[in-house]
Amino acid sequence: MTQTTSPLTRAERLDRLPFTREHGRLVVGSGLGWALDAMDVGLISFVMLALAAQWGLSGTELSLIGSIGFVGMALGATLGGLLADRFGRRQVFAVTLLVFGLATGAAALSWSVGALLVFRFIIGLGLGAELPVASTLVSEFAPARVRGRVVVMLEAFWAVGWTLAALIGYFVVPRSDDGWRWALAIGAVPALYAVVVRRGLPESVRFLELRGRTDEAEAAVRRFERAARVEPVASPPPEPPARTPGPGALWAAGNRTPTAALWIVWFSINFAYYGAFIWLPTLLFNDGFSLVKSFQYTLFITLAQLPGYAVAAYLIEKWGRRPTLATFLVGSAVGAGMFAAADADTAVLATGMVLSFFNLGAWGALYAVTPEIYPTALRATGAGAAAGFGRLASIAAPLCVPLLVDAGGTGLVFGTFAAFFVLAALATWGLPERRGEALDAPAPTTAVRD
């Protein structure tokens, strides 16, 4: 056992620990929920193509199906962050899983476009709230020296979920007229997993201290110390619980520049990512690929996400947050431009994989940097507000794709996405660099202060 005698705060006690099996359980427990989210979002791209043929839907109706979930996600992300700063990260995480799991199962019974739109909106509420809350919870337990890498590991579960969606899309959706219903029924699994989350994951120590629940906070820290075989030490009393600031604090002096930069990055990456990947199977089909082959190519392109996350997880602690995020966004722009110019089957597949590799690596870096910008009392609110603003772009993008296709074909679509990636890369330089710093430590540049 390691003996430490100097007084440390509970946050410092967490930061001194190595990565333990408890950290692993937290990442996997949160990540499974994350993967199930991704599976649901990914499934809709395959369901859209199946419904277009089965229900004879117009491009406008397909765009509404693709976008309505993101309307819910925009609202859910903002509300989820606010609720998590008031009621706890774990509580909100479990509720969001329950909401979108039940709504996904109900969507499998949809009898009309209108019913499907209602269910997709409710699904979006749960999905939008879950993602920033989960990344906030994991970042508040991860040791400072590997925090970015741990959050990218969490984000990598998105690729697992999207791959599951691609597999379901390939093996289930095309097999019968009810294939899309079975695909959505599988998406109801999160409703069951919510029970596991509620019972098994710890609540954020920083949140518990902020609410004056010091006994619970101490128990949570000791749980992680036991896993690391580190002797607990007495922590000084935390500061008196502070009043939770409102969303207006995101734009207070010292917060404006990082908040504006963060919102631009979130908006741009959402527009490019969801515009591309929600429509990808349909665009491939419209370009002459068979239904099965378009699903097959989407599966291969999705698999390229996994090495993208792995490289981002390594570089984010090697290079830092801003350089890694900017590099992957520039790579995404190059990939989108190459995809726009691809005119052969092999080129489409290869350039799509390049886009997927860099785009999802950028997502991992973005989720790592977002919770680091704000203090504990504002962290989930800030992360949720940025995600909520970004979801406005994910609403707009599926609606814009048919217009862009009519105006200039697939080349114009992906050229537009490349421009948004460049804009996001430029905006990263307004973000603070917090590599290796304590989560609530004052930053020397543009980062906010407690």
Side-chain angles (χ1 to χ4, degrees):
M1 303 285 279
T2 301
Q3 183 67 38
T4 305
T5 57
S6 57
L8 298 170
T9 66
R10 293 186 181 90
E12 290 169 339
R13 287 163 60 188
L14 287 174
D15 276 341
R16 70 175 174 157
L17 299 178
F19 188 87
T20 69
R21 66 177 183 275
E22 287 295 334
H23 292 102
R25 288 173 181 169
L26 176 61
V27 171
V28 172
S30 302
L32 288 175
W34 201 289
L36 292 168
D37 277 10
M39 186 180 74
D40 182 274
V41 175
L43 279 175
I44 196 61
S45 63
F46 300 97
V47 169
M48 283 168 55
L49 184 51
L51 288 179
Q54 188 179 135
W55 286 2
L57 302 183
S58 66
T60 299
E61 289 172 317
L62 287 176
S63 295
L64 288 172
I65 292 171
S67 291
I68 192 65
F70 298 114
V71 176
M73 290 178 79
L75 181 60
T78 304
L79 291 177
L82 290 168
L83 292 172
D85 276 335
R86 284 158 178 76
F87 300 108
R89 286 55 161 139
R90 184 183 64 177
Q91 301 277 57
V92 175
F93 184 35
V95 170
T96 58
L97 286 170
L98 184 65
V99 168
F100 93 78
L102 291 175
T104 301
L109 305 175
S110 296
W111 54 91
S112 66
V113 172
L116 182 59
L117 291 176
V118 171
F119 290 131
R120 290 301 305 171
F121 174 77
I122 298 172
I123 291 166
L125 287 175
L127 288 170
E130 189 271 323
L131 298 176
V133 173
S135 60
T136 297
L137 176 62
V138 171
S139 70
E140 289 179 335
F141 273 103
R145 63 189 174 279
V146 294
R147 185 174 58 244
R149 187 165 296 161
V150 171
V151 177
V152 176
M153 287 166 54
L154 169 69
E155 228 300 91
F157 278 86
W158 185 268
V160 175
W162 203 281
T163 301
L164 288 173
L167 289 170
I168 294 169
Y170 181 65
F171 288 109
V172 177
V173 175
R175 303 309 172 189
S176 70
D177 288 345
D178 288 330
W180 66 272
R181 295 186 186 274
W182 286 110
L184 291 178
I186 294 171
V189 172
L192 301 175
Y193 185 64
V195 178
V196 179
V197 169
R198 178 65 184 83
R199 294 174 61 87
L201 295 185
E203 181 56 272
S204 164
V205 171
R206 289 172 169 85
F207 170 81
L208 291 171
E209 286 194 330
L210 202 64
R211 288 292 177 266
R213 294 157 61 181
T214 55
D215 290 344
E216 294 175 69
E218 180 65 23
V221 173
R222 293 196 176 204
R223 171 176 167 179
F224 280 75
E225 287 176 329
R226 283 194 301 271
R229 297 183 179 276
V230 170
E231 187 71 28
V233 297
S235 292
E239 296 294 324
R243 181 179 64 86
T244 301
L250 298 174
W251 298 97
N255 291 0
R256 295 189 194 107
T257 296
T259 294
L262 188 66
W263 284 29
I264 291 171
V265 176
W266 270 93
F267 187 92
S268 300
I269 197 172
N270 267 275
F271 188 94
Y273 175 76
Y274 286 107
F277 284 91
I278 288 295
W279 275 96
L280 185 58
T282 302
L283 292 173
L284 291 174
F285 182 75
N286 291 341
D287 283 346
F289 292 87
S290 68
L291 179 67
V292 173
K293 193 169 186 178
S294 67
F295 284 1
Q296 183 184 55
Y297 270 37
T298 302
L299 173 59
F300 289 147
I301 289 170
T302 299
L303 289 173
Q305 297 177 8
L306 290 168
Y309 283 124
V311 175
Y314 172 76
L315 293 178
I316 202 160
E317 300 297 355
K318 187 75 171 178
W319 288 358
R321 279 56 165 151
R322 284 183 305 199
T324 301
L325 179 56
T327 297
F328 275 82
L329 286 168
V330 170
S332 300
V334 172
M338 292 168 59
F339 191 89
D343 57 1
D345 288 9
T346 302
V348 167
L349 181 59
T351 57
M353 293 177 74
V354 170
L355 172 60
S356 187
F357 173 93
F358 282 104
N359 193 191
L360 276 296
W363 271 111
L366 180 59
Y367 269 104
V369 73
T370 298
E372 296 181 340
I373 293 175
Y374 302 105
T376 296
L378 195 61
R379 185 166 297 123
T381 297
F389 184 74
R391 297 305 177 192
L392 297 178
S394 61
I395 297 167
L399 296 173
C400 291
V401 167
L403 302 177
L404 292 170
V405 169
D406 291 342
T410 303
L412 178 60
V413 171
F414 282 87
T416 302
F417 297 154
F420 273 95
F421 283 129
V422 171
L423 175 62
L426 294 173
T428 60
W429 299 102
L431 300 174
E433 178 57 64
R434 306 300 298 268
R435 179 178 57 159
E437 296 180 8
L439 201 55
D440 287 303
T445 54
T446 58
V448 298
R449 302 172 186 271
D450 286 341

